[in-house]
Amino acid sequence: MTETAEVVIIGSGIVGSSVAYHLAQQGCTNVLVIEREAHQGKGSTGKSMGGVRAQFATPVNIQMSRYSIDFFSRFDEVVGHPADYRAHGYLFCATTERHLEYLKTNRKRQSALGVKNVELVSREDIAKFVPQLRVDDILGGTFCQTDGFVDPHSVMMGFMLNARERGVRLWLDTQVTGIEVERGAGTAGVSSDPGSTTSRITGVMTTRGRVSTPIVVNAAGAWAAEVARFAGSELPVEPLRRQLVPTEPFDGLPQRFPMVIDMSTGFHFRREGKGILLAWNDPEETPGFKTDFDPGFVEKILTRAADRVPLLAEAEVNPRRAWAGLYEMTPDHHAVIGPAPDVAGLYFVNGFSGHGVMHSPASGRITADLILQGHSGLVDATQLNVARFASGQLLEETAVL
Ligand SMILES: Cc1cc2nc3c(=O)[nH]c(=O)nc-3n(C[C@H](O)[C@H](O)[C@H](O)COP(=O)(O)OP(=O)(O)OC[C@H]3O[C@@H](n4cnc5c(N)ncnc54)[C@H](O)[C@@H]3O)c2cc1C
């Protein structure tokens, strides 16, 4: 007998799990989540730094962060599982007038959209957060107390456990191998023809057999473009490697301090247990499914780290504990959320460009709203539609770490 579901979600990372939760929470529980791995979190979610922030440049990202951070602050109570939200803040440090003006402009926009607690801070204020920071060239910055960190794995599991308690099904170890689309003329089959505008979803093909469904949510992270092509749809999402380096236990920095961002290089760091987690996005990185850690990266990042925090030159690093994962990038560094223009019943929730953990509550809610009501009260979701790339109405987020 063919399985059926009202909605099939492809991918059980933090985004697919949030969509499942928000659908179930709105009463739609005949939902099947399909994950090719034997465990959840093997994609980008398990590799994330767990940072959450409202300090963005574009209104839609600020709105999504505002909803999401408020959600994280109530997550344990509302979802019934821990998010490990820590409001340790994000501290942006500017070394040029241009960067300082940029932060001030963003702060005004953030405040106008209800994020009222972003403070302008002086060099002296910054030195108080992390006395070991080299501040001679820092002109000032911004600090937002409610920015901070969550445990991405815990959030993902919380969303999924809650959804499953309400009846959502999860198939692990099952790969979606095709999406069945009925073309305008009424012929059904696993499709590769993007031509017709009257196509509609009828099912998905999996390694466990066919599932009949009118609605498919593409939550396949860095693999989203391939999944979109199953339905004959084009999605401009490409994988880009990001590498993180933890130090061995290091007590040369305070036990608690914000995520610190050195805007002169993009180097940023935070405490992770007894050590420090170092991050820097190498501008020489090229797109591709590369998930191996490059040992040569250690020296590159330590150079930036020691330049900003000279004491970090003494920190020990074991390259075998460092890791790499994939950002899922779009051309304007904004998520794609909403219905595919060319295939009825296909929804995208992809391309978070490094912000999929922090925006998981908002993206799940927006997607559930669009599926169940056709619009979302949270943001004007039309601006996030994939059609913006064809029409040239790009959003362009510049505060990408
Ligand atoms: C090093 C690093 C640091 C990061 N730091 C942050 C941060 O500080 N803050 C933040 O907000 N974000 C951060 N991100 C980004 C964040 O991790 C991602 O945006 C987010 O995890 C995306 O979640 P997802 O559920 O869409 O994708 P994923 O977690 O990748 O899940 C997609 C799932 O789809 C499954 N799948 C794919 N194809 C198929 C198929 N055909 N059939 C069945 N299953 C399939 C995969 O197996 C995978 O489990 C970071 C990412 C990296 C790599």
Side-chain angles (χ1 to χ4, degrees), residues 10-16 34-37 39-52 90 174-177 219-223 226-227 230 240 242-244 259 323-328 349-350 352-359:
I10 304 174
S12 72
I14 199 164
V15 172
I34 304 180
E35 169 58 55
R36 67 180 168 201
E37 302 287 349
H39 304 283
Q40 286 184 257
K42 305 268 269 185
S44 302
T45 300
K47 308 287 168 52
S48 168
M49 201 175 185
V52 301
Y90 262 59
T174 310
Q175 178 149 2
V176 173
T177 52
W223 301 270
E226 178 191 50
V227 166
F230 288 158
L240 187 64
R242 289 295 192 234
Q243 309 188 78
L244 295 179
M259 178 85 87
W323 70 89
L326 299 170
Y327 271 18
E328 32 345 94
V349 56
N350 305 115
F352 288 90
S353 307
H355 315 132
V357 165
M358 66 181 90
H359 285 163

Side-chain angles (χ1 to χ4, degrees), residues 91-289:
L91 176 65
F92 281 83
C93 304
T95 56
T96 64
E97 284 297 343
R98 191 173 62 85
H99 280 155
L100 197 56
E101 278 312 309
Y102 172 78
L103 291 177
K104 287 179 183 169
T105 306
N106 289 351
R107 179 173 173 263
K108 278 197 198 128
R109 195 170 296 137
Q110 289 148 9
S111 177
L113 289 163
V115 182
K116 304 273 185 200
N117 61 343
V118 180
E119 301 165 40
L120 281 177
V121 287
S122 65
R123 175 191 299 164
E124 292 70 30
D125 298 327
I126 289 172
K128 282 186 202 143
F129 283 108
V130 186
Q132 297 79 2
L133 209 65
R134 184 179 63 77
V135 293
D136 55 334
D137 60 344
I138 290 180
L139 303 178
T142 51
F143 173 70
C144 178
Q145 176 65 68
T146 44
D147 289 351
F149 325 115
V150 294
D151 178 338
H153 194 266
S154 199
V155 170
M156 175 190 70
M157 293 307 287
F159 275 138
M160 187 58 82
L161 286 168
N162 184 297
R164 293 178 74 185
E165 283 154 21
R166 292 167 195 255
V168 168
R169 288 167 291 155
L170 169 64
W171 283 2
L172 295 170
D173 238 338
T174 310
Q175 178 149 2
V176 173
T177 52
I179 297 178
E180 213 179 58
V181 174
E182 190 179 70
R183 297 288 165 206
T187 47
V190 179
S191 146
S192 59
D193 165 24
S196 169
T197 50
T198 56
S199 312
R200 68 178 181 92
I201 299 280
T202 53
V204 296
M205 311 305 290
T206 83
T207 47
R208 251 164 96 161
R210 179 178 180 272
V211 180
S212 172
T213 184
I215 296 173
V216 167
V217 177
N218 179 352
W223 301 270
E226 178 191 50
V227 166
R229 276 194 296 273
F230 288 158
S233 204
E234 283 304 315
L235 183 64
V237 170
E238 63 180 16
L240 187 64
R241 178 169 64 174
R242 289 295 192 234
Q243 309 188 78
L244 295 179
V245 176
T247 71
E248 295 298 297
F250 186 74
D251 58 12
L253 296 186
Q255 282 313 304
R256 174 179 167 154
F257 61 90
M259 178 85 87
V260 179
I261 300 104
D262 175 357
M263 294 177 77
S264 69
T265 60
F267 168 68
H268 49 292
F269 62 102
R270 69 166 173 84
R271 185 162 277 289
E272 170 73 23
K274 292 186 172 167
I276 310 294
L277 190 54
L278 312 176
W280 174 66
N281 296 331
D282 188 342
E284 287 172 8
E285 190 60 79
T286 52
F289 287 99

Side-chain angles (χ1 to χ4, degrees), residues 70-85:
D70 178 59
F71 194 100
F72 286 131
S73 73
R74 297 178 292 110
F75 192 97
D76 302 21
E77 185 191 329
V78 173
V79 180
H81 301 275
D84 197 16
Y85 167 59

